[in-house]
Amino acid sequence: MTAFRTLDDADLAGKRVLVRVDLNVPMEDGKVSDTTRIDRILPTIREIADKGGKVVLLAHFGRPKGRDDKNSLRQVVPALTQALGRPVTFVDDCIGDDVAKALTAAKNGDVLLLENTRFHAGDEKNDPDFVRALAANGDLYVNDAFSAAHRAHASTEGLAHVLPAYAGRTMQAELEALSAGLDNPARPVMAIVGGAKVSTKLDLLGNLVKKVDILAIGGGMANTFLAARGVDVGKSLCEHDLVGTAREIEEKAKAAGCEILLPVDALVAREFKAHPSYRVVPVGGVEADEMILDAGPLSIAEVIMRLEKVKTLVWNGPFGAFELPPFDTATVAVAKAAAKRVKAGELVAVAGGGDTVAAMNHAGVAEDLSYVSTAGGAFLEWMEGKALPGVEALRKRAG
């Protein structure tokens, strides 16, 4: 973390600290249904408050087009207050006199949550006037929302250029984990990439084959690679128009010395539902009316055997339709094998993006891996090798 300023470098006492967090949490019946993102930001909030700073939380919620109650952050206050264990003052805007008055009334160590930044079009436009309006109510800026760091918005990037800027503890943990995953990994490195479609992960695959030693491909996207090798995958999810692209990726991998692992056997069924009639077959034995819905036992054993020999694992996407048992078998087995090696101090395992968090929770290993990122798009763009504006803006600058 020498390239970034963290809370260790900040003088927080008596300062108004604008903290960008991710409170875009799932709701059911007007209540927060999953507090994972809230739990992640608690250390940063508590540290700033305990060191005498006024914590001023900035966040977005949903995709509003202007102000609307449905996307108000007010509804998050009860869950945030309960998790934090201290009062949270809600302010009905994120700029202007109401914020200034609330901050004047607040004591050092108090926590304020400002209204949805995206109620103002200037946030997503990174409008300089809106940046200045936000900055007027802060002395320091802390970004603790890696999940929004791939967007150059006023609250995620613009503020870092007009106020002293620091990485919060969640952002710091994420950057340290990602550095250990791909930037400066212990080798050999293995990547697991699953999910439905190759088309959504072309940049990802293109970057990984240059950076990892073994690339295990699962999920629906593995079917496209199997088809590219001449395997008949029946009525499995498969992007037949991308078999040429799959071959190109295999050629790039070969040139880079990266081995691609594909399933050699599979669980197949005629119906896409939980607990259907299914069978285990070699990948070349799929009948015309059958679908590949998970990797088979030989494939699982092969992945785990390779996993035993690597020092770093980066994981994005499940092996099969893990929401529908028994097609969670491969994902759960490999996840548990990875967690066992992490706990033994033999492996650094970083997972994230899309369904991966749900898959790791389903396997019961989310707390056992080195790091599980709740950032979707930002995690994927990092895996693709792209610079993230919200991260780049936190780098130490001369002077």
Side-chain angles (χ1 to χ4, degrees):
M1 287 298 296
T2 54
F4 302 93
R5 289 198 291 186
T6 70
L7 292 182
D8 294 328
D9 305 306
D11 177 13
L12 301 166
K15 301 290 175 55
R16 303 167 302 165
V17 187
L18 297 176
V19 187
R20 181 55 161 93
V21 293
D22 183 355
L23 290 175
N24 200 25
V25 292
M27 306 288 295
E28 287 181 15
D29 301 322
K31 294 182 179 179
V32 175
S33 58
D34 183 341
T35 63
T36 302
R37 288 182 167 176
I38 291 175
D39 297 337
R40 287 275 173 100
I41 62 176
L42 298 180
T44 294
I45 296 172
R46 287 180 177 140
E47 181 172 349
I48 296 169
D50 290 346
K51 289 182 176 178
K54 294 181 181 180
V55 184
V56 188
L57 300 175
L58 300 172
H60 76 277
F61 188 88
R63 298 177 180 273
K65 300 299 179 188
R67 178 178 284 270
D68 72 76
D69 290 340
K70 180 167 61 83
N71 287 302
S72 173
L73 279 168
R74 187 187 295 275
Q75 60 195 319
V76 180
V77 172
L80 178 60
T81 301
Q82 182 175 357
L84 191 57
R86 59 183 83 186
V88 176
T89 300
F90 181 75
V91 183
D92 198 35
D93 206 341
C94 61
I95 59 174
D97 291 341
D98 286 348
V99 180
K101 288 175 184 174
L103 274 165
T104 300
K107 299 181 180 69
N108 292 340
D110 283 356
V111 180
L112 292 77
L113 172 62
L114 308 189
E115 184 58 282
N116 194 337
T117 56
R118 291 190 186 172
F119 281 0
H120 296 268
D123 189 25
E124 291 181 273
K125 292 178 180 176
N126 206 356
D127 178 76
D129 290 336
F130 185 66
V131 172
R132 282 191 288 272
L134 286 173
N137 292 306
D139 303 303
L140 308 175
Y141 170 69
V142 172
N143 193 340
D144 214 27
F146 178 83
S147 53
H150 58 313
R151 302 289 184 236
H153 294 169
S155 61
T156 62
E157 195 263 354
L159 278 171
H161 296 290
V162 297
L163 291 175
Y166 306 86
R169 295 306 185 195
T170 299
M171 174 74 83
Q172 180 181 348
E174 192 107 24
L175 294 177
E176 288 171 347
L178 300 188
S179 178
L182 273 189
D183 297 338
N184 299 290
R187 292 194 173 275
V189 183
M190 181 177 183
I192 294 172
V193 179
K197 295 182 177 181
V198 174
S199 56
T200 61
K201 298 188 178 179
L202 289 175
D203 289 346
L204 171 62
L205 295 169
N207 186 49
L208 288 179
V209 296
K210 296 180 291 186
K211 291 197 169 188
V212 306
D213 303 293
I214 302 170
L215 174 59
I217 299 177
M221 61 195 312
N223 302 332
T224 303
F225 279 83
L226 289 170
R229 292 184 180 183
V231 176
D232 187 345
V233 295
K235 66 171 185 177
S236 306
L237 178 64
C238 179
E239 293 175 289
H240 291 283
D241 57 326
L242 286 179
V243 294
T245 303
R247 290 192 191 104
E248 289 174 13
I249 291 170
E250 291 225 48
E251 286 299 316
K252 288 178 183 176
K254 187 176 179 181
C258 170
E259 180 187 6
I260 288 185
L261 280 185
L262 293 178
V264 294
D265 61 346
L267 273 62
V268 298
R270 291 179 170 83
E271 297 176 277
F272 187 75
K273 67 178 186 179
H275 303 293
S277 175
Y278 74 94
R279 63 194 190 108
V280 178
V281 299
V283 290
V286 182
E287 295 185 358
D289 62 345
E290 289 180 321
M291 296 174 280
I292 296 174
L293 293 174
D294 198 14
L298 294 176
S299 305
I300 295 170
E302 179 74 12
V303 171
I304 291 175
M305 183 185 76
R306 301 305 181 88
L307 193 58
E308 293 291 326
K309 298 176 182 177
V310 301
K311 293 184 178 179
T312 303
L313 172 67
V314 182
W315 191 335
N316 171 251
F319 278 99
F322 76 96
E323 308 93 338
L324 304 173
F327 308 117
D328 58 348
T329 304
T331 300
V332 170
V334 175
K336 287 185 173 178
K340 183 179 179 182
R341 291 204 68 219
V342 171
K343 286 195 280 188
E346 300 167 347
L347 180 72
V348 171
V350 180
D355 292 333
T356 315
V357 178
M360 297 303 107
N361 284 329
H362 176 76
V365 303
E367 299 301 319
D368 298 326
L369 299 184
S370 307
Y371 196 82
V372 176
S373 173
T374 57
F379 184 86
L380 273 176
E381 290 198 16
W382 165 77
M383 285 186 76
E384 290 165 4
K386 296 176 180 176
L388 308 182
V391 171
E392 296 304 308
L394 296 177
R395 290 192 184 276
K396 289 178 180 175
R397 297 184 291 274

